[in-house]
């Protein structure tokens, strides 16, 4: 118990207490452990029997009972939260139960001493009451959210803000070994213009349409199985992609159908008739132009950093109040197309220079913010290569030489397109970030076992990897391996928590924003955005969630009852505001022909923007404090 008390002396807000107040508040305090589903206290208890608790680890939720008998949970309690203060300060007028969601340890304070210290120490009292005030605001937002549910469902949002899953139709699937005659009969019976050709496990092998049938008719070739007619790799989308990914393809391929995938398996299809309307946009044209480029110079002119049409398009989306994290996902999706075309041009260059086509399967992956689809305009490269296992082959030296040259071409071409080389060397051209599948597994195992404070930063970037070009199976299987390994590694989770505490959120307890220099400059990425991203990532790792995007991670944590709905919405709101500041700042820097950065001057902001920034920073700070408490607790246990 004494070890815990020493930790609390360094834990905010108890650092605001003097020695006498500290002794008073902790005199008689006791450590309690609550099993999953056990009540910390119940609303039927007398107010006099309910004390105040400080959550040390675990997770709990409050439960309020409505007059119609339904239960409503309006918040979760995380490490560092005080439980029972609201009941005490409202003299029992607002009562609710608090139940442990998982095994939870809490320090139980005597209510009388706690209130006496609050009366003596104004700064400490203000922090506690501020927490109550924020909770009341959140309750208001909860009520507001509930009441607006129906109107939001009825509201038809702009197509740019909607996902593929909204318009996906049931797929028309046929096995790859079926005959062409069988396919024609099925198309006639189902009255469809094409079929998705799959194997036994529903993996997409291609798309068969009328053009393929006409070609077979002209060649008088009807005897082969369908897999012989669909050798061209089809255009596919994920059910979580934005709808514009499909629209930009369908606009220029009118008769096409697009398979919709969930982790490579076909779950639906998209075609032009899937939409009631189709908006014209410069975005569709730019995406189409990227796919048709044949030179690096053409591609550079289409890159976000240099294309004014794309920049205006992003500006318009922000003006139309599109959520900034959705805008960043759009920017990332656009960057994906640039990356894909760079890889294609690099492959063509390898052939022209006599190196030939890739000798084995490979997967080009992106990491960091591009991996999470959270890119702004200010970014460098974070990428790598996963190669099929080749060490057993006689020409392994030639294979290594090929991919060394190939990856160098890719990285330098991306640099030409406005993606600076990574100063930390996290790029495919570096041997550390270019491995065979088996070598990647061994490297990850070594990382987890022997990782130091320096390497943890590289691992933090790597763990958010995502496939862009090549054999996606290599990346998906490696993702499963990584997720399983890091979920079991408590030491790795501790290192991740320690690393994210390197940069403090620059806001004081009472809301003053810290900044460097006369103009009080704040680095939005290092000091705020990454605090939220890192915290969410650590929780996702802890619970074995393999999502990569921060918003998707938050939604999955909510779905698994690890984050409360309102805490998820607060984190999403903070990310939206911080990313909006970042993208707007980048657009201004491009317009003023200044170097791109993630820094913003607090003194240059309006009063309203300062408040918006401060609120977002306070949410990031809270997430950081929860992690810090968890780190300190584990250090002494």
């Amino acid at each position: 118990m004494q070890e815990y008390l020493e930790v609390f002396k360094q834990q905010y807000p108890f650092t605001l207490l003097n020695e006498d107040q500290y002794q008073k508040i902790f005199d008689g305090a006791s450590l309690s452990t609550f099993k999953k589903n056990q009540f910390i206290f119940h609303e039927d208890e007398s107010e006099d029997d309910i004390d105040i608790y400080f959550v040390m680890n675990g997770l709990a939720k409050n439960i309020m009972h409505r007059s119609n008998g339904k239960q409503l949970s309006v918040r979760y309690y995380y490490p560092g939260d005080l439980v029972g203060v609201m009941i005490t300060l409202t003299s029992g007028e607002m009562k609710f139960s608090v139940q442990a969601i998982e095994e939870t340890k809490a320090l139980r304070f005597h209510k009388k001493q706690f209130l006496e210290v609050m009366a003596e120490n104004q700064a400490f009292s203000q922090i506690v009451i501020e927490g109550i005030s924020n909770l009341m605001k959140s309750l208001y937002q909860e009520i507001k959210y509930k009441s607006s549910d129906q109107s939001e469902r009825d509201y038809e949002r702009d197509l740019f803000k909607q996902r593929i899953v909204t318009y996906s139709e049931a797929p028309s699937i046929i096995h790859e070994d079926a005959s062409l005659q069988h396919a024609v009969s099925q198309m006639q019976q189902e009255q469809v213009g094409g079929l998705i050709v799959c194997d036994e496990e529903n993996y997409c092998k291609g798309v068969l349409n009328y053009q393929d049938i006409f070609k077979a008719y002209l060649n008088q070739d009807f005897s082969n199985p369908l897999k012989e007619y669909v050798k061209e790799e089809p255009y596919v989308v994920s059910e979580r992609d934005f709808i514009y990914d499909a629209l930009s393809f369908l606009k220029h391929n009118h008769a096409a159908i697009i398979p919709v995938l969930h982790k490579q398996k076909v779950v639906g299809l998209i075609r032009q008739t899937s939409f009631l309307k189709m908006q014209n946009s410069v975005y569709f044209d730019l995406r189409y132009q990227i796919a048709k480029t044949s030179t690096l110079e053409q591609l550079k002119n289409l890159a976000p950093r240099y294309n004014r049409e794309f920049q205006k398009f992003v500006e318009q989306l922000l003006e139309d109040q599109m959520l900034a994290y959705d805008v960043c996902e759009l920017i990332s999706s656009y960057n994906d197309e640039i990356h894909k075309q760079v890889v294609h041009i690099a492959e063509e260059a390898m052939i022209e220079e006599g190196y030939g086509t890739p000798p084995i399967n490979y997967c080009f992956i992106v990491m960091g913010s591009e991996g999470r689809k959270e890119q702004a305009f200010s970014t460098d490269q974070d990428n790598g290569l996963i190669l099929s296992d080749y060490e057993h082959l006689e020409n392994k030296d030639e294979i290594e030489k090929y991919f060394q040259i190939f990856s160098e071409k890719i990285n330098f071409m991306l640099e030409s397109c406005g993606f600076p080389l990574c100063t930390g060397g996290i790029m495919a051209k570096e041997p550390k970030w270019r491995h065979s599948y088996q070598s990647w597994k061994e490297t990850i195992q070594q990382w987890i076992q022997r990782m130091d404070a320096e390497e943890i930063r590289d691992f933090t970037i790597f763990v958010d990897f995502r496939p862009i070009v090549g054999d996606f199976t290599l990346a998906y299987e490696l993702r499963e391996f990584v997720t399983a390994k890091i979920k079991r590694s408590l030491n790795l989770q501790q290192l991740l928590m320690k690393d994210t505490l390197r940069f403090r959120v620059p806001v004081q307890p009472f809301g003053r924003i810290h900044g460097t220099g006369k103009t009080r400059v704040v680095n939005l990425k290092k000091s705020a955005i990454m605090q939220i991203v890192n915290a969410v990532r650590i929780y996702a790792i802890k619970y074995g969630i393999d999502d990569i995007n921060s918003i998707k991670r938050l939604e999955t944590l909510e779905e698994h009852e690890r984050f409360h709905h309102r805490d998820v919405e607060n984190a999403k709101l903070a990310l939206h505001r911080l990313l909006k500041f970042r993208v707007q700042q980048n657009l201004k820097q491009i317009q003023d022909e200044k170097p791109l950065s993630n820094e913003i001057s607090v003194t240059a902001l309006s009063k309203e923007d300062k408040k918006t920034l401060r609120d977002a920073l306070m949410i990031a700070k809270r997430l950081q404090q929860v992690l810090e408490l968890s780190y300190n607790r584990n250090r002494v246990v």
Side-chain angles (χ1 to χ4, degrees):
M1 182 67 179
Q2 187 59 38
E3 289 178 324
Y4 285 112
L5 297 182
E6 290 302 316
V7 170
F8 278 114
K9 284 187 177 181
Q10 309 301 320
Q11 181 63 42
Y12 183 83
F14 299 112
T15 52
L16 299 173
L17 304 177
N18 61 36
E19 189 63 33
D20 289 341
Q21 292 165 345
Y22 184 84
Q23 290 300 327
K24 180 184 289 188
I25 205 170
F26 283 94
D27 183 31
S30 59
L31 187 64
S32 301
T33 300
F34 302 91
K35 300 294 184 182
K36 181 179 178 180
N37 295 331
Q38 184 179 356
F39 283 101
I40 295 175
F41 55 76
H42 196 279
E43 68 175 77
D44 290 339
E45 293 181 49
S46 167
E47 178 203 345
D48 295 334
D49 296 331
I50 297 176
D51 280 323
I52 295 171
Y53 296 82
F54 184 88
V55 180
M56 297 178 62
N57 72 345
L59 190 65
K61 66 178 178 180
N62 69 359
I63 300 170
M64 301 180 73
H65 291 86
R66 290 176 168 177
S67 57
N68 61 7
K70 290 185 178 180
Q71 289 186 176
L72 174 67
S73 173
V74 292
R75 74 162 296 181
Y76 284 1
Y77 295 97
Y78 306 96
D81 281 341
L82 287 165
V83 183
V85 180
M86 180 180 288
I87 294 175
T88 299
L89 295 181
T90 59
S91 301
E93 289 297 318
M94 180 173 284
K95 291 191 68 175
F96 48 81
S97 305
V98 175
Q99 183 182 35
I101 296 177
E102 60 187 29
E103 184 169 306
T104 301
K105 286 184 180 179
L107 200 63
R108 181 174 183 169
F109 299 113
H110 286 307
K111 182 165 45 183
K112 181 179 178 182
Q113 287 95 314
F114 196 93
L115 293 177
E116 286 176 358
V117 170
M118 284 184 64
E120 294 172 11
N121 190 316
Q122 186 176 359
F124 179 75
S125 178
Q126 186 169 346
I127 294 302
V128 174
I129 293 174
E130 187 178 272
I132 300 298
S133 174
N134 289 335
L135 177 57
M136 295 304 293
K137 291 177 184 176
S138 297
L139 290 172
Y140 168 74
Q141 292 296 329
E142 181 80 7
I143 295 168
K144 183 179 177 182
Y145 172 84
K146 296 289 185 186
S147 64
S148 64
D149 253 5
Q150 189 61 42
S151 61
E152 285 194 4
R153 282 196 297 268
D154 294 338
Y155 179 69
E156 186 179 5
R157 296 177 300 165
D158 186 276
L159 280 175
F160 288 116
K161 304 173 188 177
Q162 296 193 44
R163 305 279 178 174
I164 290 289
V165 68
T166 307
Y167 290 92
S168 177
E169 301 178 35
S172 296
I173 294 175
I174 191 168
H175 193 274
E176 62 180 345
D177 291 330
S179 67
L180 192 63
Q181 184 178 2
H182 183 187
V184 172
S185 175
Q186 182 173 333
M187 289 170 66
Q188 184 178 19
Q189 184 178 353
E190 297 183 10
Q191 295 184 339
V192 293
L195 299 173
I196 301 173
V197 181
C198 296
D199 62 12
E200 292 84 354
E201 297 182 348
N202 248 31
Y203 287 111
C204 181
K205 295 299 181 180
V207 173
L208 181 81
N209 54 39
Y210 282 124
Q211 290 178 330
D212 299 304
I213 296 172
F214 292 153
K215 190 183 299 182
Y217 174 77
L218 291 173
N219 295 332
Q220 292 296 297
D221 176 17
F222 307 111
S223 59
N224 291 320
L226 292 182
K227 58 188 173 186
E228 296 300 321
Y229 302 103
V230 292
K231 292 185 176 181
E232 185 176 338
E233 186 175 352
Y235 181 85
V236 298
V237 292
S238 164
E239 61 182 349
R240 285 289 302 170
D241 287 343
F242 282 116
I243 205 67
Y244 50 67
D245 289 322
L247 289 175
S248 57
F249 180 81
L250 289 173
K251 182 176 180 182
H252 300 280
N253 298 272
H254 307 295
I257 63 172
I258 304 175
V260 178
L261 307 185
H262 174 73
K263 293 186 176 180
Q264 286 195 298
K265 292 191 176 183
V266 176
V267 293
L269 66 81
I270 289 288
R271 51 187 170 179
Q272 279 201 337
T273 54
S274 301
F275 309 103
L276 296 177
K277 63 178 181 177
M278 181 174 174
Q279 293 187 359
N280 289 319
S281 170
V282 65
Y283 180 83
F284 302 151
D285 292 326
L286 291 174
R287 285 274 299 252
Y288 181 72
Q289 289 177 46
I290 290 172
K292 295 299 180 181
T293 55
S294 57
T295 69
L296 191 60
E297 187 60 32
Q298 290 173 337
L299 195 59
K300 175 182 176 180
N301 293 331
L302 293 168
R305 178 67 178 84
Y306 305 114
N307 191 276
R308 184 57 189 149
E309 281 185 292
F310 182 77
Q311 294 158 17
K312 287 180 178 178
F313 175 66
V314 171
E315 288 173 357
Q316 187 61 53
L317 292 179
L318 291 176
E319 288 178 11
D320 290 343
Q321 305 303 312
M322 185 174 181
L323 291 167
Y325 48 75
D326 284 345
V327 174
C328 288
E329 187 170 343
L330 180 146
I331 295 172
S332 302
S333 295
Y334 190 84
N335 286 343
D336 284 357
E337 299 307 308
I338 298 287
H339 281 66
K340 290 173 186 176
Q341 201 62 16
V342 160
V343 173
H344 175 71
I345 293 173
E347 277 193 3
E348 292 295 320
M350 293 293 286
I351 295 171
E352 289 176 7
E353 294 172 19
Y355 296 104
T357 57
I360 57 173
N361 274 1
Y362 71 90
C363 184
F364 182 80
I365 59 174
V366 290
M367 301 175 273
S369 58
E370 176 67 15
R372 294 188 305 275
K373 287 199 169 186
E374 295 166 5
Q375 287 256 289
F377 289 89
S378 56
T379 182
D380 59 4
Q381 294 184 48
D382 293 316
N383 50 57
L385 275 176
I386 308 172
L387 310 177
S388 291
D389 291 333
Y390 65 89
E391 288 86 349
H392 61 289
L393 300 177
E394 292 182 0
N395 63 333
K396 66 175 184 177
D397 291 339
E398 294 177 14
I399 292 172
E400 288 176 353
K401 183 67 175 177
Y402 181 97
F403 283 103
Q404 176 192 337
I405 297 170
F406 181 48
S407 57
E408 286 176 353
K409 286 185 182 297
I410 292 172
N411 288 144
F412 288 120
M413 285 180 180
L414 285 171
E415 182 187 26
S416 299
C417 292
F419 302 94
L421 297 175
C422 175
T423 55
I426 304 177
M427 292 174 290
K429 71 184 184 69
E430 303 297 332
K432 181 178 180 180
W433 302 100
R434 188 179 68 250
H435 295 285
S436 68
Y437 173 72
Q438 188 60 38
S439 178
W440 267 115
K441 290 175 67 175
E442 293 168 0
T443 300
I444 291 164
Q445 187 67 42
Q446 292 170 6
W447 261 348
I448 292 174
Q449 291 173 349
R450 302 197 299 266
M451 194 173 301
D452 57 26
E454 188 64 34
E455 280 198 315
I456 193 70
R457 294 162 200 172
D458 289 348
F459 186 83
T460 300
I461 295 172
F462 161 76
V463 78
D464 291 338
F465 73 87
R466 178 171 58 85
I468 289 290
V469 178
D471 184 358
F472 281 30
T473 302
L474 292 169
Y476 290 144
E477 291 181 355
L478 190 63
R479 166 63 58 199
E480 291 180 4
F481 176 81
V482 171
T483 301
K485 287 292 181 182
I486 59 182
K487 181 183 178 182
R488 293 194 294 265
S489 177
L490 296 177
N491 181 58
L492 174 61
Q493 294 172 31
Q494 286 290 304
L495 286 172
L496 288 169
M497 284 192 281
K498 186 175 181 180
D499 181 66
T500 196
L501 298 176
R502 289 185 302 128
F503 295 100
R504 293 289 177 178
V505 179
V507 62
Q508 293 178 339
F510 301 106
R512 177 175 169 77
I513 302 174
H514 286 292
T516 58
K518 293 181 179 179
T519 59
R520 292 165 58 199
V521 172
V522 171
N523 188 308
L524 290 169
K525 183 176 180 180
K526 288 184 178 179
S527 299
I529 295 171
M530 291 313 300
Q531 304 310 321
I532 299 175
V533 168
N534 290 346
V536 173
R537 181 195 296 114
I538 290 168
Y539 279 108
I541 286 172
K542 179 181 178 182
Y543 295 111
I545 294 168
D546 62 2
D547 295 313
I548 302 169
N549 175 265
S550 295
I551 299 300
K552 189 68 174 71
R553 280 170 169 164
L554 281 165
E555 291 171 348
T556 306
L557 284 165
E558 179 186 354
E559 182 182 330
H560 292 184
E561 293 191 338
R562 299 306 175 184
F563 268 28
H564 191 274
H565 164 72
R566 235 174 340 90
D567 297 308
V568 168
E569 291 303 309
N570 285 342
K572 288 164 71 173
L573 178 62
L575 272 178
H576 157 63
R577 289 174 170 176
L578 293 167
L579 290 170
K580 185 175 182 179
F581 278 126
R582 185 186 180 198
V583 174
Q584 287 176 328
Q585 182 75 354
N586 286 171
L587 288 168
K588 188 176 187 306
Q589 289 165 339
I590 291 173
Q591 188 174 352
D592 296 341
E593 298 184 351
K594 292 182 178 179
L596 294 179
S597 74
N598 299 304
E599 296 181 338
I600 189 169
S601 169
V602 177
T603 57
L605 296 176
S606 66
K607 184 177 180 180
E608 183 180 352
D609 282 344
K610 284 179 185 176
K611 182 181 183 305
T612 299
L613 178 60
R614 180 171 61 250
D615 290 345
L617 292 176
M618 292 297 286
I619 293 170
K621 186 178 181 69
R622 169 173 163 75
L623 281 170
Q624 190 179 55
Q625 287 173 338
V626 171
L627 283 177
E628 184 172 21
L629 180 68
S630 299
Y631 170 67
N632 285 333
R633 173 183 57 77
N634 287 328
R635 187 171 58 182
V636 301
V637 173

